[in-house]
Amino acid sequence: LDPCYDDTGAARRCIPEFINAAFGKEVMVSSVCGRPPSRSCSVVERGDDRPSVRTCQICDAADPRRAHPASYLTDLNSAHNLTCWQSENLNTSPYNVTLTLSLGKKFEITYVSLQFCSPRPESLAIYKSMDYGKTWMPYQFYSSQCRRMYNRPNKATITKQNEQEALCTDGHTDLYPLSGGLIAFSTLDGRPSGKDFDNSPVLQDWVTVTDIRVVFNRPQLPRELGLGAGGSNSDDPASVTSTLATYFYAVGDFQVGGRCKCNGHASRCLKDKEGKLVCDCKHNTEGPECDRCKPFHYDRPWQRANAREANECLPCNCNLHARRCRFNMELYKLSGRKSGGVCMNCRHNTAGRHCHYCKEGFYRDMARPITHRRACKACDCHPVGAAGKTCNQTTGQCPCKDGVTGITCNRCAKGYQQSRSPVAPCIKIP
Amino acid sequence: EVMPTLDMALFDWTDYEDMKPVDT
C-alpha cells in the first residue's frame, strides 16, 4: 500500500510523517563549558514559599558525569534523566552564544522549541537558512526590549502583506521558572494564510528551512533577578556572579518539529548512497524535494501536490518514437492547459510534436499502428520518373513527370513510351 | 495493361551527368 496512490492506482498527495527533525542531529555550538573545568552556580526554586537556594556544580568536559556537551541538546529527552548542554560562564559582554542545527535537507517546519535548564535568556533570536547555511534570515525574536535589542516593535501585527516577516515578542522571556522554562516558536501561528496553507506559496516558503540558528543574546540581568542580597541594579551579570550565581545558558532539549519537504510527492525520506537525506519521490517526480519532473515527463509543468490534486508529472506522448521531450508553455496554454510536451529527435522516420506523422521522404503504412517502428515507409520515388523525392505522406504517391505513372513514378503511362531523355522520360507515342 | 518499368540503361546521360543516379 503506497500512500501516494489510491486503491484504483490514481495519484494522490502524500507527505512524510511529522518528526522532530533535530533529534539525534549534531548541533554546532559557539560555547560549551568544561574546557577547562569550571564551576557554575545557579539559583534553584524550592517551592512552598521556601526561599530559593544557590547550588553550584563543576562542569568538566573530560568527565562524562560532569560534562554538558552539545549532543545533550538533541538526545532523548527524558524527565527522569534530563541531560543539558551548558555554555561557558558569561563573565563579560557580549553574551552571545549560538546554536546551529543543519537538517541536511529542506524541511517544512511547524515549530522550534527550546527547553531550558537555566533561566530563559532575556533576549534570543531564531534565524533560518534555506540554502544550507549560505544565507540566513530572521525567523523570530524574543526579548523584553524588542526595539532596543532587535529594532523591532513588540508583537507587531501580521497581515497578508507581511506574512514572511519575523516578529519580536516579550512573551517567554520571564525569569521564572528558573529552570525548565520553554520557548516555543510556532511558524504558522498568527499568520493569516496559515488556514489556507495549500494555496499560499509565501507561507510554504516561510516554513521551509535547511538550517536553524538560535542566538542567545543576553541572559536575565541581575536587576531582573531580584534575589535580595545578591541582586544588583547593574546591567552586568558579573556583579552578582561572585556573590550569588554565575551566568550561563543551559538547554535540555532543542526540537524542530516538521516534515521532510517533498512537495506532496513522497511519503518518506531516505538516505541516498552518499548518506544524504532525500525524498522517495513518486508521481513521476525527482530531485531532493521531488521538485521537478522526471525526464520525458514534461507534458505539463511541475506543480506541488495539494489535497484536491496530486498534480503528478505526465509523460510526453511520442508514440514510442522518442526518448526525450521538452515542455512548451505556449502549446500548453493553447491546448487549454492540457498538454505542452514536444518530442525531441523523433526516430523511425517520424516527425511532429508527438512523432505522430512521417517525416519528409516517407509515408504512412496504414497497415501498421503509428507506434510501430516501421509505421513510416520510404517514398522510394524513381530518380528519373519522379519530379521530386517527397511523396504524399498518406498514400505514398510520388509526384510524377508528364507521362509517367505508378506509386513511385517508375513506368510510362498508357499511350506513352520511354524516351532517351532523363528530363522527359516518357513521350507520347506518335 | 502493365507498362514496363523505366530502363535506366536506355537513357542518354550525356547532357545530364548531374542527374545521373550513382548506381546507373
Side-chain angles (χ1 to χ4, degrees), chain A residues 233-256:
Chain A
N233 285 329
S234 164
D235 259 11
D236 183 1
S239 65
V240 289
T241 297
S242 58
T243 57
L244 190 68
T246 45
Y247 284 83
F248 55 84
Y249 304 114
V251 176
D253 194 34
F254 179 15
Q255 289 195 14
V256 176

Side-chain angles (χ1 to χ4, degrees), chain A residues 382-385 401 404 409-423 425-426, chain B residues 1-17 19-24:
Chain A
H382 196 277
V384 175
K401 290 179 181 170
V404 184
C409 309
N410 64 340
R411 299 172 195 277
C412 289
K414 197 175 177 185
Y416 286 78
Q417 65 184 15
Q418 184 173 346
S419 73
R420 286 176 54 77
S421 167
V423 178
C426 297
Chain B
E1 186 188 355
V2 179
M3 305 297 283
T5 56
L6 296 172
D7 185 351
M8 300 297 273
L10 293 180
F11 291 119
D12 177 5
W13 298 101
T14 308
D15 297 326
Y16 307 103
E17 275 301 317
M19 286 176 59
K20 189 176 177 183
V22 177
D23 56 353
T24 305

Side-chain angles (χ1 to χ4, degrees), chain A residues 45-61:
Chain A
E45 292 169 281
R46 295 195 296 171
D48 301 335
D49 295 330
R50 290 187 293 172
S52 300
V53 294
R54 175 179 177 241
T55 63
C56 295
Q57 288 181 327
I58 298 294
C59 176
D60 182 357

